[in-house]
Amino acid sequence: MAENYVSTTNACKMCTPMGAALVFKGIENAVPFLHGSQGCATYMRRYIISHYREPVDIASSALGEKSAVYGGGPNLKKGILNVMRKYDVSLVGVATTCLTETIGDDVGRYLNEFREEFSDLSLPELVHVSTPSYSGTHMEGWHAAVRSLADQVVKDKGRAHGGVNLLPGFLSPADYRFLKALGERACVRFTMLPDLSETMDGVIWDDYHSLPDGGTPVAEIRAMGGAAGTVEFGMSGGLPESAAGVLERKFGVPARRTAMPIGLRATDQFMDVLAEFASCDMPAKDAFDRGRLLDAMVDGHKYIFGKRAVVYGEEDFVVALCSFLGEIGVQPVLVATGAKSDRFKAAVTNALAEVCQTMPVIRDDADFKDIEDEAAELNPDLLVGHSKGYKLARAKNIPLIRVGFPIHDRFGGQRILHVGYEGALALYDRLVNAVLEKSQDECPVGYGYL
Ligand code: SF4
């Protein structure tokens, strides 16, 4: 009899408002605010801290039974006033939760009432985003929050300043640092939204700070309408209109979309886009890094070529990883994401079309039970993804190359570089060494020289 399997087992996705909270963590002096029960904020803080190992404040309207019946407006307003008292806050990012979406709270109306009721106070920017977790993933929450910032904070076109809006999607703080430095090398003034480079991987403090340093300044977000263009990585979670689309429609800022620059070809594409905005020649450092990456690919080819990989995680990140794996001769055999996405299959197929003769099994809306079932017949050599794949890696006795988020069972996940030629080289070294380590461990006599 066919197994009647309907529930999600070990989800390959995280809660939707968590993505929004992470975006708001990348705004200077901003506080993420969850409109819902306190447990949601506690869970997310715990989850985020385990990866980044930084203090993470997430406010909550702490709704109880009474609010669930009569609405959460009073708690929301009281909570924002508390945030204003406790922090020198420039922006409060309010994300809804399952509870407030279910009872149908109109957060936009509550915030308008708040602005009128407290018009005598110096108010921070108040941004709201709808993030029902029962119908999305953390990445849908992420993209919706970036879109809300572009829609609600950028009020006019303003002065043309010649900078470029960079919407990089969900990457590591090391990636954001890399992209900022690349912009400086290429003489492009980026407004990167969000920017978790310092807020989620900061320095040690002598004194307590109520909010971390860093993040995209609100003034820079307001000026995004005057940019020369917007560069957006990935598919924006399938939104009908992404943040770049909002800026193009409202203020005529040209939108350029490109894949996350992971691997050789995607980085080449991004560098070409960057060159259109650059006011100086492409930096020599990146040309050297590109050459080093190619040299390493030649050196390591004999170890890595033909290995079979299972790749899973966030859709844009997975598409970019597949593109890279294909170009180094690794055959993705199963590619999975937890998101329901009608664009995912085409995006993976497109990323692999030039570099793989055989297309992998491609699954959206997948959980780890689906991934384990599919992987059973595919004989993978490697798993590439976040820490939640460890159970499968252990069961199959194959290496897990940890990338992305969350990395809860290793140290330094926030400092993994994925993007650019430099990031591709670092990933390449890790992949080759994982293969070598396994064959060395399994060799009956051992060896100390390749
Ligand atoms: S899934 Fe819903 S109830 Fe659970 S933490 Fe996320 S928002 Fe809260």
Side-chain angles (χ1 to χ4, degrees):
M1 190 166 54
E3 193 182 358
N4 188 17
Y5 165 64
V6 289
S7 69
T8 295
T9 307
N10 293 332
C12 185
K13 59 186 175 183
M14 271 71 73
C15 155
T16 310
M18 184 190 293
L22 280 163
V23 168
F24 296 132
K25 285 299 298 175
I27 312 297
E28 188 178 57
N29 296 326
V31 172
F33 189 114
L34 291 187
H35 185 38
S37 55
Q38 208 159 11
C40 301
T42 307
Y43 148 67
M44 284 177 219
R45 289 180 58 241
R46 168 78 186 78
Y47 206 88
I48 294 170
I49 289 168
S50 297
H51 175 90
Y52 292 99
R53 296 165 200 268
E54 293 288 356
V56 175
D57 285 10
I58 298 179
S60 164
S61 48
L63 302 192
E65 289 86 347
K66 188 174 156 199
S67 308
V69 175
Y70 296 108
N75 276 44
L76 176 66
K77 294 172 190 175
K78 201 168 159 190
I80 294 172
L81 285 173
N82 280 339
V83 167
M84 288 166 57
R85 261 183 228 118
K86 186 165 180 308
Y87 304 94
D88 185 13
V89 67
S90 61
L91 183 144
V92 179
V94 182
T96 53
T97 60
C98 297
L99 170 62
T100 47
E101 285 289 336
T102 303
I103 63 176
D105 264 6
D106 185 345
V107 176
R109 178 167 67 82
Y110 292 155
L111 293 184
N112 281 337
E113 288 171 4
F114 183 88
R115 289 184 189 101
E116 279 177 25
E117 286 167 30
F118 299 100
S119 57
D120 54 323
L121 301 179
S122 167
L123 297 179
E125 281 285 352
L126 302 172
V127 176
H128 63 96
V129 56
S130 169
T131 45
S133 200
Y134 42 76
S135 67
T137 71
H138 61 302
M139 285 318 298
E140 274 142 325
W142 174 286
H143 291 297
V146 177
R147 187 190 183 285
S148 290
L149 286 162
D151 195 33
Q152 296 168 34
V153 179
V154 190
K155 308 274 187 339
D156 53 39
K157 183 160 177 61
R159 184 181 60 82
H161 54 71
V164 172
N165 306 320
L166 178 63
L167 310 178
F170 189 19
L171 292 166
S172 74
D175 292 323
Y176 296 120
R177 282 195 288 277
F178 176 88
L179 292 168
K180 280 165 75 173
L182 175 59
E184 283 168 21
R185 288 198 295 278
C187 311
V188 178
R189 199 195 113 192
F190 280 144
T191 296
M192 190 164 68
L193 182 66
D195 176 5
L196 292 98
S197 60
E198 288 180 61
T199 56
M200 297 308 287
D201 190 23
V203 299
I204 195 161
W205 296 333
D206 291 331
D207 305 308
Y208 171 72
H209 296 206
S210 60
L211 290 170
D213 296 330
T216 316
V218 172
E220 285 196 18
I221 302 174
R222 288 192 188 116
M224 286 172 87
T230 303
V231 178
E232 188 172 60
F233 294 164
M235 300 177 282
S236 303
L239 281 175
E241 187 185 48
S242 67
V246 168
L247 294 169
E248 186 164 55
R249 172 176 53 80
K250 289 172 88 171
F251 309 114
V253 184
R256 295 295 309 271
R257 294 185 182 84
T258 183
M260 275 186 173
I262 296 178
L264 183 73
R265 296 170 304 153
T267 304
D268 284 348
Q269 278 168 20
F270 176 53
M271 296 299 275
D272 287 346
V273 172
L274 202 58
E276 293 173 26
F277 298 102
S279 56
C280 57
D281 290 340
M282 279 293 104
K285 174 195 179 320
D286 298 278
F288 279 118
D289 286 345
R290 188 179 191 280
R292 259 183 223 111
L293 173 61
L294 285 168
D295 187 49
M297 285 180 176
V298 173
D299 294 344
H301 196 62
K302 58 182 179 256
Y303 306 119
I304 198 82
F305 176 78
K307 296 297 175 196
R308 297 160 64 82
V310 171
V311 194
Y312 58 87
E314 293 127 12
E315 56 269 41
D316 288 329
F317 193 64
V318 162
V319 170
L321 284 170
C322 283
S323 172
F324 172 55
L325 292 170
E327 66 196 22
I328 64 173
V330 171
Q331 170 68 54
V333 289
L334 170 61
V335 180
T337 184
K340 280 185 197 160
S341 168
D342 51 11
R343 307 184 200 187
F344 183 62
K345 187 167 187 178
V348 173
T349 306
N350 187 42
L352 290 173
E354 285 179 5
V355 284
C356 283
Q357 290 187 332
T358 313
M359 282 300 133
V361 176
I362 303 171
R363 289 287 311 266
D364 72 324
D365 197 17
D367 62 17
F368 275 96
K369 180 169 191 320
D370 298 324
I371 295 171
E372 283 168 27
D373 289 350
E374 296 276 12
E377 305 295 320
L378 294 170
N379 295 321
D381 301 296
L382 299 164
L383 244 65
V384 184
H386 49 72
S387 288
K388 290 179 89 175
Y390 173 68
K391 192 167 153 254
L392 176 59
R394 184 179 165 95
K396 296 200 91 60
N397 188 28
I398 56 175
L400 167 61
I401 290 70
R402 289 168 178 79
V403 289
F405 173 91
I407 296 180
H408 286 162
D409 62 343
R410 287 289 184 276
F411 185 71
Q414 72 277 47
R415 285 182 287 277
I416 295 176
L417 181 66
H418 309 89
V419 300
Y421 304 122
E422 205 180 314
L425 183 54
L427 282 181
Y428 188 74
D429 287 347
R430 291 174 64 211
L431 283 157
V432 173
N433 281 328
V435 170
L436 293 177
E437 189 176 335
K438 179 158 168 46
S439 64
Q440 190 179 35
D441 286 350
E442 290 178 347
C443 174
V445 292
Y447 56 85
Y449 191 88
L450 284 173

